[in-house]
Amino acid sequence: MQPASRRSSRDWVVDTVMFLLAAAFGVYMSAERLQTASLPDPAWLFDVDQIAGAAGCAALWLRRRFPVELAVVLVALSTFSEIVAGPMLAALFTVAVHRPPRTSMPVFALSLGGAALYVVIRPEAGMSPLGLFLFGAAIQGAAAGWGLFVHHRRRLVASQRDRAARVETEARLRAEQAQHLAREAIAREMHDVLGHRLSLLSVHAGALEFHPGAHPDDIARAAKVIRESAHQALQDLREVIGVLRAPVGELPQPTIADIKELAAESGRAGMRVDLCEEVTGTVPDGEGRTAYRIVQEALTNARKHAPGAPVRVHLTGMPGRGLTVEVCNAAPDPAAPPGAGSGQGLIGLGERVALVGGRLEHGPAAAGGWRLAAWLPWPA
């Protein structure tokens, strides 16, 4: 039994129409019997038929709450009452609509048995029992079939709604995942861009702190680098933040050709950078961008952990053999204060290289220096 629920306006209209149709059928059958004087034998059965029909019509208001129970009772009454046939058809339709076929089909089969008993109990003059049975079975089959059609149509609509809800949920999850990946990409860009600029600030600010008596020209030069680096860092930050709402592909992306400017910028900041390029062919954008980030991170780490040490950048490669990026720095000056780092830059760098199918190596080099090398695939 389903829990009782408040009827909607549509439910009230449908229930009222069902009741009126069943009542109209009963009135018509009673009037037809009286007009043709074809009352059943014995005569008191006609009075019982009227009472059963009226009770069946009134019971239709319970068809939503007790559909199966009501149908079984009305089928039992239909074995001798012809007026209750109207409410019984409405009950068959209701069971077929609101219950699965494994429930509605047995009830329909039971109604066929009731029709067979009716033919035996109340045969009609001038009509064969088989013809009467087939006529009743056809009408009952039409009611049950219509109900099954409505039942399956409602299930189809419900499944389509569920499918649409699942599709919407999956689309939302994919959008959230894409947004998460975009945020990760933006975070890496901000780390790479700002880490490089801020390391320049740190180096020159540290030099001013540990050499307060330096020549005024050196102090002015360091202050100029600090000012320019701070200004450029703000510009880079504005550029990245300005495209936060744009697709990730529209973020400003460097190429391998920008490594020369990167090395020159570090040289203007006081680093000794030796750049050697032995690259044949045009490097794909993805691999070139990754190579740029590798050199950028290596120069940033060299400024932090080996200030004043010379750095050598070596780029080699050609289509079909891959692109090799190697950055080595000598041992740091013992008098220079080493910088602190969390290692997150190398972790992010390893993820970048892995995304393009490359390999990354880093570790101590000879004579106390540090070596960072990567191999990136370069299709022929």
Side-chain angles (χ1 to χ4, degrees):
M1 183 180 67
Q2 291 182 333
S5 58
R6 185 180 297 275
R7 284 186 174 91
S8 64
S9 299
R10 179 182 177 278
D11 294 339
W12 278 108
V13 171
V14 172
D15 291 348
T16 302
V17 171
M18 286 280 192
F19 172 78
L20 293 177
L21 288 176
F25 175 80
V27 171
Y28 171 78
M29 292 303 298
S30 299
E32 186 69 16
R33 288 291 184 183
L34 293 174
Q35 185 177 1
T36 59
S38 56
L39 298 178
D41 185 25
W44 56 263
L45 186 58
F46 180 77
D47 297 329
V48 174
D49 199 353
Q50 304 301 307
I51 296 173
C57 291
L60 284 180
W61 294 103
L62 301 176
R63 69 186 187 91
R64 295 183 183 274
R65 188 170 186 180
F66 307 103
V68 177
E69 295 85 345
L70 177 61
V72 171
V73 171
L74 293 179
V75 166
L77 294 176
S78 70
T79 57
F80 65 89
S81 173
E82 65 179 356
I83 298 180
V84 86
M88 186 267 292
L89 292 175
L92 286 180
F93 172 79
T94 302
V95 173
V97 170
H98 296 287
R99 292 294 185 269
R102 65 175 180 272
T103 300
S104 60
M105 294 310 295
V107 174
F108 172 66
L110 184 63
S111 72
L112 294 180
L117 285 177
Y118 177 85
V119 171
V120 175
I121 296 174
R122 295 186 59 174
E124 289 290 337
M127 182 177 291
S128 67
L130 180 59
L132 183 60
F133 169 77
L134 292 178
F135 177 74
I139 295 178
Q140 292 168 201
W146 184 21
L148 286 174
F149 170 76
V150 175
H151 172 79
H152 288 295
R153 184 176 180 276
R154 288 182 178 180
R155 289 190 61 183
L156 177 62
V157 172
S159 66
Q160 290 176 342
R161 288 176 179 173
D162 292 341
R163 185 180 304 173
R166 287 196 301 269
V167 170
E168 183 179 357
T169 301
E170 292 173 359
R172 185 177 67 253
L173 292 176
R174 287 194 297 267
E176 291 177 355
Q177 183 180 13
Q179 187 179 26
H180 179 69
L181 294 176
R183 289 174 177 174
E184 288 184 349
I186 292 171
R188 286 195 297 267
E189 293 296 327
M190 294 182 69
H191 171 272
D192 294 337
V193 171
L194 295 182
H196 174 71
R197 301 295 180 188
L198 296 179
S199 66
L200 293 176
L201 293 175
S202 176
V203 167
H204 289 280
L208 292 177
E209 180 183 3
F210 283 92
H211 301 282
H215 192 274
D217 292 341
D218 295 335
I219 295 177
R221 185 165 51 253
K224 179 181 178 182
V225 172
I226 291 174
R227 179 181 59 80
E228 291 177 349
S229 298
H231 175 74
Q232 189 61 43
L234 290 175
Q235 290 296 109
D236 293 340
L237 182 60
R238 291 192 188 100
E239 190 176 31
V240 173
I241 292 178
V243 294
L244 283 178
R245 295 182 178 179
V248 179
E250 296 182 8
L251 292 173
Q253 302 292 348
T255 64
I256 195 170
D258 296 317
I259 293 180
K260 291 183 179 180
E261 177 59 27
L262 183 65
E265 183 182 39
S266 297
R268 290 192 296 270
M271 290 185 69
R272 289 174 291 170
V273 181
D274 179 20
L275 175 61
C276 178
E277 292 185 85
E278 298 177 357
V279 179
T280 303
T282 302
V283 180
D285 291 341
E287 286 72 11
R289 181 166 55 252
T290 303
Y292 178 92
R293 295 306 185 192
I294 292 171
V295 175
Q296 186 181 52
E297 180 66 22
L299 293 178
T300 299
N301 289 340
R303 279 192 294 270
K304 287 182 179 179
H305 304 288
V311 180
R312 182 175 183 271
V313 179
H314 190 199
L315 304 176
T316 60
M318 62 184 303
R321 294 188 179 182
L323 177 65
T324 300
V325 182
E326 185 180 33
V327 183
C328 300
N329 63 266
D333 185 357
S342 62
Q344 295 299 317
L346 291 177
I347 295 175
L349 202 59
E351 294 175 353
R352 280 183 179 274
V353 173
L355 285 175
V356 297
R359 300 186 299 270
L360 180 68
E361 301 175 356
H362 55 82
W370 186 266
R371 176 179 178 269
L372 176 66
W375 177 86
L376 306 176
W378 186 353

